[in-house]
Every structure is written in C-alpha cells, then in structure tokens.
Amino acid sequence: MAAVTQLARYGERHIARGLNRLTNAVIKEGRGSYLHMEDGRKMLDFTTGIGVAGLGHCHPKISKAAADQCLSLVHGQCSIAYHEPYLKLIERLIPVMPHPSLDTFFFWNSGAEAVEASIKLARAATGKQNVIVMQGGYHGRTFGTMALTKSKTVYSQDVFPLMPGVFSVPFPYWHQCGLPSSTPTSELVQHCLFQLDLTLSQQTAPSDTAAIIVEPVLGEGGYVPAPTEFLQGLRKVCDKHEILLIADEVQSGFGRTGKYFAIERSGVKPDIMVMAKGLANGFPLSGIVSRKEIMDRQSPGTMGGTYAGNAVACAAAVACAEAFQEEKVLQNVEARSHELFGVLKGLQKDSQVGHHILDVRGAGLMVGVEFGSPSGHAHDKFRRPDAPKTLASRISKRCLEKGMFLLTTSVFDVVRFIPPLNITKEDMKKGTDIFSESVHEIVREG
Ligand SMILES: Cc1ncc(COP(=O)(O)O)c(C=O)c1O
C-alpha cells in the first residue's frame, strides 16, 4: 500500500469524522473505468462513485457538454425562468420512462432531496400522511429520508427523533426474513405481502397511508432484486387502497440493471419514480417523475430549490442520455453481466471457496455476493461459526491492495459490484480475476 501523503493527512485533520471512506488515499483523476491516485496508483473502479459514473469517469461527450454549458449559462434558476438544458432533458427522458404516463418532472440535486420530494408530493396528492418503507431499504441521510432508511442504524444513530408516520414491512430477501437462501421466491413474497396486509390493518390504516416506497433492487440493504410477484403485489395493494407506489431508482436506474429503470423488468407502473446518480454521470442532479394529474395537485411555489435542475448538470444529463443510445450501453451491460455472473457462479461451485458463498444475485451490473461469515446477529441461523470472519470487508480490502475499488453493502456479509456500464471485456476480466484471487487468498488465510 502507498504511504499516506501530506495532502491525505490534511484531510484526516480537517474533514468531519462523520464522513467515512474506503481509503484515505487521494484521487487525482478519473478516466473511464480507472481512477488515478495522487500516489501514482491506477485503480480499476468497480464502485463508479457508488453507482454514479455509469459511463465511466470524465466521459468525453458528457464532460464536453458540461464544459460548453459552463461558457453559456451556469445557473438558470428554476424559479426565475425555464432554461434550455432543463427542457431538453425532459425531451430526452420521456421516451425512456417505464410508462408513457410518467411525463411530468421535477429536478433536484441529490437522491435524498428527490426522495423527500416524492414523499411531499405523495402527501399533497393524497391528503394522507403515513408512508410504508421496506426493512433493509435505503433512501438517504437527510432528516426526512433518515426516517425512511432501514438498512443500518448508523445512518440515524444519536439524532432521534426522526420524521413520524413511517412504518416498515419486510422485503422478500431470505436472510432478512430469517429463511434459508433456498426458500422459494413465491413463499418469500407471500410472507412479505401478508405482513404488509397486517401492517395496513394493525399499524397504519389505508385511509392514513399516502405511499409505499420501494427500491426495485435493494441497494444498501444487500443488492437484492425485488421479485416481480412482489412488485405486482404492491401495485395491487396500492390500487385497492388508493396508496401511491413510489419506485426509488436512485441506485438501480439509468441502465444499471440492463434496463433504463429496474422496475421495467416487472412491468409494474409506479405512480412516482425517483432518479439520481447515473442520470448525469457525476454531475449533481436528481429528479422525480409522475403523472401530470398527480404532480398538478401541488400548488405553484411549493416546490423548488436554489440549485434545483442546475443548467450544467442538466446539459451533462442530456449528453449522458445521448451517449447511452449512441454507444449501445444496454447491450454492453447485458454482455458484461453475463461474464460477471459466469465468474461468480463459478466461484460458488469452487471446491475451495464455494461453501463460503451463500448467494450470488442481482441484475445487469448491480450484483451482490453474500458470504457466510458469522453475522454477529445472535439469532441468525445462517451464520457459519466455522467460517473466516468478515470475509466481505477483508476481500474488499485485498482488492484495494491489488488495484481495484470494490464496496461492501448491508449489515450482512456482502460485496457489491457496480462497475461502469460501458466497461470493456478486458477490464471486466481484470476485475473478476482480482476478485477471484482475493477470495481464494482470504479464505486460505482463514
Ligand atoms: C436507493 C437510494 N435512494 C436514495 C439515495 C440517496 O441519494 P443521495 O446520497 O444522493 O442523497 C441513495 C444513495 O445511495 C440510494 O441508493
């Protein structure tokens, strides 16, 4: 490992301790699938800034569009007038929405802000207050979204009370439900939909419930795709009780799962969809989309924000949407996903390490591998007391030493793959080689 440089030491001294990071090294440059560090290392980036730089770092077309926009209009404040990139972005997004009725937009900066905007809209549109969230779900760290986030206590520890009116129900993830990974999906789904029914009769009446918010692929909760039957079940419950279904596609959206938005895989139509991250390939931009009749239930002036829908970020997002089509990104996701799953499923069958891998799951290039280290949960019957400890975090650290960034996720022992969507076959092989070597080494070390 490279020495901690003077600049990094400055960061250690002057940056808030509440901000954690994978490494205390300094990034100097990002180019495509690689990050170049101040200490001279060139790192393969299988984190893409946590699912943001989907088309790689400093994509030439996107960076140029942003640079050009900087020289014509940086800040066209959205409560003063329309600006061109904002409108062009809507024009680009409408054709790729999961359903044609999703045609009315509001842009903001961060994912959490957009999630809050979706809740605000759901309350205003329904005249109801309560929100149902998924156990294991992650929606952000602002005061509103901390209340919705149920993936780890660390995000809201020490700062209660949070926003009231939030109820959580189980998500069909075997480990979360305390059932073996071999449990049939239909059984998991039935269990979770039954718990939802109970919640609506025991805790929050349908007449008090504005929305159910769900990530079509649980992100911080362990990279678990929501089964189609579950999303269909949520849709039915929402239709029956006039509750709005909100899809949080902040992490799973924009091609990450091989479709523009992960919910498309189920054919389920959300009432409100939240997007961010990959939308502008690194420029801060988020948004919500809904049907016009829902959006129009908010009075003018109730929504807005100084930087909301910034012109440079919108110009980058327009270029990003164009690059997606020009470069046939979704086809690349499919091909690279096939290779990635091939390697991971192969590892699961490997006689030396396979027995430590409980699950390989995901969609497209949003893929999780769950290990069987003792989880620290006293009643967890799936922990393997004989397994080496904290495999996921040790493997992530070993990958770092070998020149690749790879993140863990959830309170379980999971690593997550979020490589660039336009990653080459060669770089995918390089990344999976580093991962396989690291798994073998760490298991051997015990
Ligand atoms: C599903 C989901 N929703 C919301 C957020 C919050 O986004 P931001 O960090 O931009 O506020 C995230 C961030 O990781 C996320 O994954």
Side-chain angles (χ1 to χ4, degrees), residues 77-92:
Q77 217 286 336
C78 61
S79 299
I80 303 292
Y82 295 129
H83 62 72
E84 237 179 61
Y86 198 113
L87 299 173
K88 280 191 177 159
L89 178 58
I90 292 175
E91 206 176 53
R92 289 280 170 204

Side-chain angles (χ1 to χ4, degrees), residues 50 110-113 115 138-140 215 220 248 250-251 276-277:
I50 319 192
S110 70
E113 285 174 317
V115 169
Y138 180 87
H139 302 287
E215 292 162 87
E220 293 287 322
D248 181 346
V250 167
Q251 193 159 165
K277 291 195 186 271

Side-chain angles (χ1 to χ4, degrees), residues 60-348:
K61 179 182 172 108
I62 301 168
S63 290
K64 181 170 185 320
D68 289 348
Q69 186 61 41
C70 277
L71 298 176
S72 62
L73 177 78
V74 171
H75 181 58
Q77 217 286 336
C78 61
S79 299
I80 303 292
Y82 295 129
H83 62 72
E84 237 179 61
Y86 198 113
L87 299 173
K88 280 191 177 159
L89 178 58
I90 292 175
E91 206 176 53
R92 289 280 170 204
L93 290 179
I94 283 179
V96 299
M97 287 298 113
H99 193 269
S101 63
L102 298 170
D103 64 356
T104 309
F105 293 78
F106 168 74
F107 294 118
W108 217 335
N109 311 293
S110 70
E113 285 174 317
V115 169
E116 289 203 0
S118 75
I119 302 297
K120 187 167 172 177
L121 173 61
R123 283 183 169 180
T126 60
K128 303 192 270 183
Q129 290 188 7
N130 293 345
V131 180
I132 294 179
V133 301
M134 302 296 138
Q135 209 184 337
Y138 180 87
H139 302 287
R141 279 178 247 203
T142 56
F143 256 93
T145 57
M146 271 193 289
L148 310 173
T149 288
K150 305 290 178 193
S151 56
K152 285 180 188 166
T153 51
V154 68
Y155 300 125
S156 51
Q157 129 189 347
D158 303 332
V159 298
F160 281 81
L162 306 177
M163 177 178 80
V166 178
F167 299 81
S168 57
V169 294
F171 182 92
Y173 166 22
W174 57 272
H175 208 159
Q176 183 84 61
C177 296
L179 294 165
S181 58
S182 55
T183 310
T185 303
S186 56
E187 211 174 291
L188 287 173
V189 169
Q190 199 187 10
H191 167 76
C192 293
L193 291 176
F194 176 56
Q195 290 300 319
L196 173 61
D197 278 349
L198 287 182
T199 303
L200 287 166
S201 56
Q202 291 176 327
Q203 299 186 54
T204 169
S207 57
D208 288 324
T209 307
I212 297 177
I213 182 164
V214 64
E215 292 162 87
V217 181
L218 209 58
E220 293 287 322
Y223 270 36
V224 192
T228 292
E229 308 90 293
F230 182 62
L231 294 171
Q232 287 169 339
L234 293 183
R235 183 68 269 172
K236 270 196 198 136
V237 169
C238 286
D239 287 343
K240 181 170 169 204
H241 298 299
E242 295 183 358
I243 294 170
L244 298 179
L245 181 62
I246 304 174
D248 181 346
E249 292 261 13
V250 167
Q251 193 159 165
S252 58
F254 251 81
R256 183 47 59 194
T257 66
K259 299 277 179 200
Y260 268 97
F261 295 96
I263 198 145
E264 281 173 52
R265 300 183 158 275
S266 66
V268 166
K269 183 178 71 169
D271 297 298
I272 306 173
M273 191 173 76
V274 187
M275 57 202 142
K277 291 195 186 271
L279 176 61
N281 210 53
F283 290 85
L285 185 69
S286 63
I288 60 170
V289 60
S290 186
R291 298 193 293 279
K292 185 161 169 52
E293 89 261 13
I294 294 179
M295 281 284 201
D296 282 356
R297 282 185 230 166
Q298 284 182 309
S299 311
T302 53
M303 301 298 282
T306 300
Y307 301 109
N310 169 265
V312 177
C314 285
V318 170
C320 182
E322 287 171 1
F324 248 82
Q325 307 217 313
E326 289 161 9
E327 297 173 19
K328 301 191 171 35
V329 172
L330 296 183
Q331 277 109 305
N332 194 61
V333 173
E334 201 185 317
R336 300 292 85 81
S337 172
H338 188 70
E339 291 157 12
L340 178 57
F341 271 106
V343 171
L344 300 177
K345 296 267 184 199
L347 268 182
Q348 209 177 9

Side-chain angles (χ1 to χ4, degrees), residues 22 34 41 48 124 132 154 167 175 178 240 269-270 299 301-302 309 333 335 350 356 371 385 396 402 430 434 440:
L22 197 58
Y34 288 87
R41 283 175 302 156
T48 49
I132 294 179
V154 68
F167 299 81
H175 208 159
K240 181 170 169 204
K269 183 178 71 169
S299 311
T302 53
V333 173
D350 186 295
H356 293 303
F371 294 94
S396 155
K402 288 176 180 288
K430 187 172 168 187
I434 291 176
H440 276 279

